[in-house]
Amino acid sequence: MNSTKPFSPFTLEKSWGFHNPVKVSFGRGVRQNLAQEFAGKTCLIVTTQRGRRQLTDDYLLGAFAADEEHIWVDTVTENPGLLALETTVEALRNQRFDAIVAFGGGSSIDSAKVLAIALSSQCAGRALRDLLAHPELHHGAQTRPLYAVPTTAGTGSEVTPFATVWDHEKRKKHSLAGPAVFPYAAYVDPALTDTAPEAITLSTGLDAINQAAESIWNNNATPITLELATRALQLGFGVLPGLVAGEDGGLRARDQMAECSLLAGLAISQTRTALCHSMSYPITAHFGVPHGLACAYTMPAVLEHNLAADDGRFINLAARMANGNEAHESLMARFSELNDRLGVAARIRQYVSAADDLQALTADMVTPGRVDNNLAPVTPHDIRRVLRRASASSLQ
């Protein structure tokens, strides 16, 4: 189509609402304001061992980290495990602190959310398994204020009411979700992502992009989430390949990727995710594929599946992502090109050797609360077809 054609914005013809209570501060140097927030407070600091070193060495936050009154949980690992979190909850039952600081990526922030809920007075004595299975048990929990300080540009967990918990023994993913899970405040300082390793930049960046995409092909989309997600995609597509390739995009590229992640998080805080995420969980659980990579693997195929249900939102997205070209083909080309540039297929082959191995997990890829958010209806046959399409160029 002619790129000079007047742009016609898409309008959802349904009622909608929006609520996100997280106090957000964004920009380089905003973390310096944390010192004022924590004056005179004892904090529970939740992070990884790498995160503890980064926090302790940070020239703006080092003095805060040096306070001996703080309590540290620096044992967080990727994909927080149910058993480990249960052990940590019990160890902290009688500890006194005023606030919780989550410093790190999605795993640290998710772990801190779980601890905040489990250690609230309303949930005292409740087993973590029960809290995961019965959200009503923590619906009105009054938690200590949780301050989320992300050091990766990816999960958006700093502004969502969800936390992921993995039962590694059963290879199952659980979600802690509800209004009490929202952090109190998020300090998104892109400078903290400047030293993120290439593998983390890739996986978390793909997660952010996929979250934005899944907010668009989502039954729960609103005009606000569509705008947030579209802006996130424009930013992420523009800078992630260069960041992964080590090209000198300057600090601005890190800033834009951090903004992409934040906006995508705000979008999924309302919509939740959809089919890509639903399919990704068993891929991660069984093969150890990093979460963002597992989501991106099926993204072009899931987009193709959802194009059949286009109510105008994809034409709108194509016009804004492809220089005014409203054709579905132009949108498919953009998503396929992104995966190609980032070597998603080759990276998947490092974990999964045969397409049949993924097909065997089809039944586990139907995750309630995720797959039913998808714009186009999804059947087991559709999941198998998406896997065949995704595997066509990568697995035999």
Side-chain angles (χ1 to χ4, degrees), residues 107-189:
S107 294
S108 293
I109 299 174
D110 283 2
S111 296
K113 289 177 174 180
V114 171
L115 296 178
I117 292 292
L119 294 171
S120 66
S121 59
Q122 293 89 339
C123 297
R126 298 280 190 182
L128 181 52
R129 292 178 185 272
D130 291 338
L131 295 174
L132 292 169
H134 303 287
E136 68 276 8
L137 294 177
H138 58 80
H139 182 82
Q142 299 296 311
T143 66
R144 297 171 181 87
L146 169 58
Y147 295 80
V149 188
T151 62
T152 64
T155 70
S157 184
E158 67 273 10
V159 289
T160 71
F162 323 120
T164 297
V165 178
W166 293 87
D167 187 337
H168 294 298
E169 288 68 30
K170 295 182 179 180
R171 295 184 176 180
K172 294 290 184 181
K173 175 261 180 191
H174 299 282
S175 182
L176 183 71
V181 185
F182 274 117
Y184 168 73
Y187 284 80
V188 185
D189 190 329

Side-chain angles (χ1 to χ4, degrees), residues 346-389:
R347 295 175 190 272
I348 286 290
R349 284 196 296 270
Q350 297 175 11
Y351 298 89
V352 185
S353 58
D356 288 346
D357 293 339
L358 295 181
Q359 289 286 348
L361 299 175
T362 299
D364 293 337
M365 293 180 175
V366 180
T367 307
R370 295 294 183 272
V371 71
D372 43 314
N373 296 333
N374 204 70
L375 183 64
V378 179
T379 67
H381 172 75
D382 294 324
I383 291 178
R384 289 191 289 271
R385 182 163 51 83
V386 165
L387 283 174
R388 286 196 297 270
R389 165 76 167 79

